Amino acid sequence: MSFVRFGALAATALLSTVAMVGSAGAQEVNIYNARHYGTDQQLWDAFTRETGIAVNVAEANHDELIQRLVAEGENSPADIFVTVDAGRLALAAEKDLFASVKTPILEADVPAHLRHPDGLWYGLAMRARVLVYDKERLNPAELSTYEALADPKFAGKIVVRSSTSVYNLSLMGSIIAADGAEKAEAWATGLVANFARPPEGGDTDQLKAVAAGVGDIAISNTYYLARLLASEKPEEREIGEKLGVFFPNQGDRGTHVNISGAGVLKYAPNKDNAIKLLEFLVSPEAQRYFADISFEYPVNPEVKPHPVLAAFGDFKQDTLNAATFAANSLEASKIMDRAGWK
Ligand code: FE
């Protein structure tokens, strides 16, 4: 695998293996990046400007990168693994890929529920899994909790992506933690009975389906709606403007939130630089990037979200540790299978 430096090449390809990138003494850091947003190069460039440390990035999907890290073992050139969803970070942690890292900056800038208790990984940005509804056809006073979506009054009204999505596995993991496995399964069964159609597509497709009248309520991550609302395409803004956001469970544990996150790797050849990069990523400067370019909520409480997200309103977060709901994902998957959630 070779790294793409400064985005000089198309950023998606994994190429042939190199034993080690760069020469001894060179200041650099090597990232395996599974975020699929295509804009993260701006972040790496800013880090290099600030520290003089060159950034090399290999991008691929999370499964490929995790397999790669396992196969490379202690010969891996990678210093840090970046991905979305705590479920995927948990998978990498399970394979013992991360080093335990704790620094005063990381602990101050990242709230406790958005980082691994042993410092194996840290949240860099946050997203909430919310209910998005058609403002004309649904009165938000009808909505309350995730649990209430299993009420027969919502029959034929709910659209959501497949149970194989790590976003849904994590949500279900949080419901197992809150309600227990038995109630979680009854809930999933009731929810599936209320589907407007069998799951298809990603979160954006669910939002479009609600705007098109296929269903009245979508379960979606916040940034997908924010992207529609901030789109340069008038037809996308039009879709977004038909939709309202509802934060469930405000009267009890709060709305399920998840992270984009990263961990320093156990065999990192440039461990100090990786820690510097991690600290940079949670600094106010880099947090503005997550807020303004990828429409995620900053994890650093000092940084305000983008106005489009801020307009959704303040909300109470479920502060269940991301490592806990992620650890429930295998059980979540079995429950969703039994409930017939395709
Ligand atoms: Fe996503």
Side-chain angles (χ1 to χ4, degrees):
M1 177 178 335
S2 76
F3 286 92
V4 176
R5 181 169 290 191
F6 300 126
L9 299 170
T12 47
L14 274 177
L15 309 170
S16 61
T17 302
V18 287
M20 196 66 84
V21 175
S23 52
Q27 282 295 307
E28 63 181 3
V29 65
N30 299 325
I31 306 173
Y32 280 13
N33 183 21
R35 275 167 60 91
H36 55 274
Y37 305 128
T39 48
D40 290 349
Q41 191 60 42
Q42 296 176 43
L43 273 178
W44 321 137
D45 291 346
F47 176 70
T48 301
R49 276 199 305 275
E50 201 152 294
T51 61
I53 298 169
V55 175
N56 308 301
V57 187
E59 297 198 350
N61 81 40
H62 57 276
D63 286 332
E64 284 169 2
L65 290 176
I66 289 174
Q67 276 173 26
R68 191 87 211 179
L69 285 164
V70 170
E72 289 170 342
E74 35 185 307
N75 296 319
S76 178
D79 296 305
I80 188 165
F81 176 53
V82 181
T83 190
V84 294
D85 203 288
R88 290 172 183 153
L89 291 162
L91 229 107
E94 234 167 67
K95 299 197 184 300
D96 198 22
L97 296 175
F98 292 126
S100 171
V101 168
K102 291 194 176 194
T103 75
I105 290 178
L106 291 171
E107 297 202 332
D109 286 356
V110 184
H113 66 292
L114 304 178
R115 51 181 155 89
H116 189 278
D118 301 326
L120 299 182
W121 44 258
Y122 288 82
L124 304 177
M126 189 186 78
R127 59 281 298 283
R129 198 136 181 83
V130 294
L131 310 184
V132 179
Y133 60 92
D134 182 283
K135 288 195 275 197
E136 275 189 6
R137 291 194 312 279
L138 192 114
N139 178 347
E142 297 280 309
L143 299 172
S144 57
T145 61
Y146 297 110
E147 283 81 354
L149 294 177
D151 190 308
K153 78 175 177 180
F154 296 122
K157 293 193 172 174
I158 294 168
V159 289
V160 63
R161 71 199 291 173
S162 150
S163 63
T164 58
S165 159
V166 71
Y167 303 152
N168 286 334
L169 291 167
S170 289
L171 171 63
M172 184 55 111
S174 78
I175 288 172
I176 294 169
D179 302 332
E182 211 171 294
K183 281 189 183 165
E185 184 161 343
W187 173 73
T189 305
L191 182 75
V192 169
N194 289 341
F195 282 179
R197 62 171 184 190
E200 59 175 69
D203 283 4
T204 303
D205 299 299
Q206 314 314 316
L207 302 181
K208 289 180 175 170
V210 168
V214 174
D216 291 352
I217 306 162
I219 303 176
S220 171
N221 287 353
T222 33
Y223 56 89
Y224 291 106
L225 179 59
R227 279 186 205 164
L228 290 176
L229 288 166
S231 174
E232 285 171 9
K233 297 180 188 155
E235 65 272 22
E236 291 193 336
R237 291 200 302 276
E238 216 169 279
I239 290 169
E241 276 148 21
K242 285 185 177 173
L243 305 172
V245 178
F246 186 85
F247 291 97
N249 298 76
Q250 293 302 287
D252 47 59
R253 65 183 182 272
T255 297
H256 171 65
V257 295
N258 208 323
I259 51 173
S260 279
V264 174
L265 293 157
K266 195 173 168 184
Y267 299 117
N270 306 289
K271 194 171 177 188
D272 290 348
N273 290 347
I275 293 170
K276 276 185 201 154
L277 177 62
L278 205 48
E279 290 184 338
F280 169 77
L281 291 173
V282 299
S283 71
E285 179 191 354
Q287 290 285 294
R288 271 263 58 89
Y289 162 85
F290 289 113
D292 293 343
I293 309 295
S294 69
F295 296 109
E296 292 166 276
Y297 291 94
V299 291
N300 187 328
E302 280 181 33
V303 180
K304 295 219 176 346
H306 186 280
V308 169
L309 283 184
F312 294 169
D314 289 334
F315 66 101
K316 178 181 176 183
Q317 301 171 32
D318 183 350
T319 55
L320 178 72
N321 191 286
T324 308
F325 64 69
N328 287 342
S329 68
L330 185 62
E331 192 177 15
S333 162
K334 288 180 185 162
I335 287 176
M336 290 153 104
D337 266 358
R338 286 198 297 268
W341 185 337
K342 297 281 189 268

